[in-house]
Amino acid sequence: MADRLNGTRILILETREEAQFSKLLAEQGAEVVQCPMFTIHDAPDPAPVEAWIRRAIDKPLDDLVLMTGEGLRRIVKLARTRGLDAALIAALAKARKFTRGPKPGKALREIGLEAQQTTEKPTTEGVLEMLAKLDLKGRRLGLQLYPDKDHGALNGALAAQGAEIDSVLPYVYDSKAADANIVAAIDEMAEGRIDSIALTNLGQVRRLVEAAKAHGVEAKLRAGLDRTLIASVGPAVSGELAAHGLRTDVSPADEAYFMRPLISAMASALAERKPAATR
């Protein structure tokens, strides 16, 4: 149903997939307030990533665990610049492939591959639960990691299952980018000019809190969030909010951790609230 968000201002914290989210919100009548959070860059030293690609080709992996779609895309992009993409894709086709949620699965399909299994929960804990049911003893397991996360528990659990882990970190965040945008967004919330903030990955929560602390506006952030509907796409984001003492007001029903169900949940909740203060 179109126009469910007419008259609302929705703050989104831009990352790699927010253009699609912004379009979906605008189609429902929302005024989308976009706040660039950080920039994603290829790993500053491509040599370890290239070495991982060559190992995966020379001795194909038994299993591949993909934590993000961004990670696979960055790996394939580097392979393409080295003329190795066809060989890499052929090698990865031989492995069992496991993904943390649907986004890595989408990236796999872009290169003609399919995941054998996807986590029910798009979290590290969901990956652990999924892999705990498998016999990994003596198996070569490629593990694609993402930045700003301690992966010690995941590595330890997989090693304890007997896997031979070959990990790769194909990209980094520029965590200093766009601080002025974040502070401005905090001001907007504190002034009651935002109806809802929509959060689609846990890195957004961390970045928001870190920038607020760095610029001495953490109290203003918390005051702004107190008067703003906080929408979370799923348990990973909600868990990160809770870790910072923040609440989740709405999230998608029936464990449908995607953008459209999130928008539906937001529309229902906002319909019960008064519009934001006069702009």
Side-chain angles (χ1 to χ4, degrees):
M1 184 170 59
D3 303 327
R4 292 179 296 174
L5 295 175
N6 274 353
T8 63
R9 298 184 88 225
I10 310 297
L11 174 64
I12 66 172
L13 309 178
E14 287 187 276
T15 52
R16 59 190 178 276
E17 294 188 345
E18 299 316 296
Q20 178 191 0
F21 193 29
S22 177
K23 180 181 176 182
L24 292 173
L25 288 166
E27 286 174 352
Q28 297 297 321
E31 178 185 346
V32 181
V33 180
Q34 299 179 339
C35 175
M37 293 290 284
F38 46 72
T39 304
I40 298 175
H41 298 293
D42 292 332
D45 180 5
V49 183
E50 181 178 347
W52 185 93
I53 291 169
R54 292 186 181 278
R55 289 195 300 273
I57 292 171
D58 294 341
K59 188 179 179 183
L61 299 161
D62 297 308
D63 299 306
L64 175 65
V65 177
L66 296 170
M67 301 297 281
T68 65
E70 184 72 26
L72 178 61
R73 292 186 184 100
R74 297 274 170 170
I75 291 168
V76 172
K77 184 178 79 170
L78 179 61
R80 188 173 296 117
T81 67
R82 303 296 192 267
L84 298 171
D85 51 318
L88 175 64
I89 292 168
L92 297 184
K94 301 174 183 178
R96 295 188 303 183
K97 289 166 284 294
F98 304 93
T99 63
R100 184 184 69 121
K103 292 179 181 179
K106 179 181 177 183
L108 276 171
R109 290 191 295 277
E110 289 170 2
I111 58 172
L113 301 178
E114 290 285 345
Q116 273 65 58
Q117 196 170 344
T118 298
T119 56
E120 293 183 9
K121 302 174 184 177
T123 62
T124 297
E125 291 71 23
V127 172
L128 286 169
E129 291 174 8
M130 174 176 63
L131 298 179
K133 303 171 185 177
L134 303 175
D135 181 5
L136 300 178
K137 188 174 182 180
R139 295 180 68 85
R140 293 187 64 251
L141 184 146
L143 176 59
Q144 174 261 307
L145 303 175
Y146 59 95
D148 294 352
K149 169 75 174 180
D150 181 359
H151 297 283
L154 178 60
N155 276 287
L158 296 176
Q161 288 181 248
E164 178 187 335
I165 304 167
D166 191 351
S167 61
V168 60
L169 181 61
Y171 63 98
V172 297
Y173 294 141
D174 177 359
S175 62
K176 299 299 181 184
D179 276 19
N181 296 316
I182 297 170
V183 172
I186 291 171
D187 286 341
E188 288 272 281
M189 286 191 290
E191 293 167 5
R193 290 172 52 80
I194 299 295
D195 293 286
S196 178
I197 180 172
L199 300 163
T200 56
N201 72 67
L202 58 84
Q204 294 169 337
V205 180
R206 291 178 186 165
R207 181 79 175 98
L208 189 63
V209 172
E210 288 169 1
K213 289 180 178 178
H215 292 272
V217 293
E218 187 178 9
K220 182 182 283 190
L221 169 64
R222 293 182 181 274
L225 290 172
D226 280 344
R227 63 192 306 181
T228 304
L229 184 83
I230 304 175
S232 161
V233 76
V237 175
S238 296
E240 190 67 22
L241 284 165
H244 294 284
L246 300 171
R247 72 189 189 282
T248 296
D249 292 319
V250 296
S251 58
D254 303 320
E255 299 186 350
Y257 306 130
F258 303 97
M259 292 178 184
R260 290 183 188 276
L262 176 61
I263 291 171
S264 294
M266 292 166 61
S268 297
L270 287 168
E272 300 174 3
R273 293 167 65 104
K274 293 180 180 180
T278 303
R279 296 149 174 83

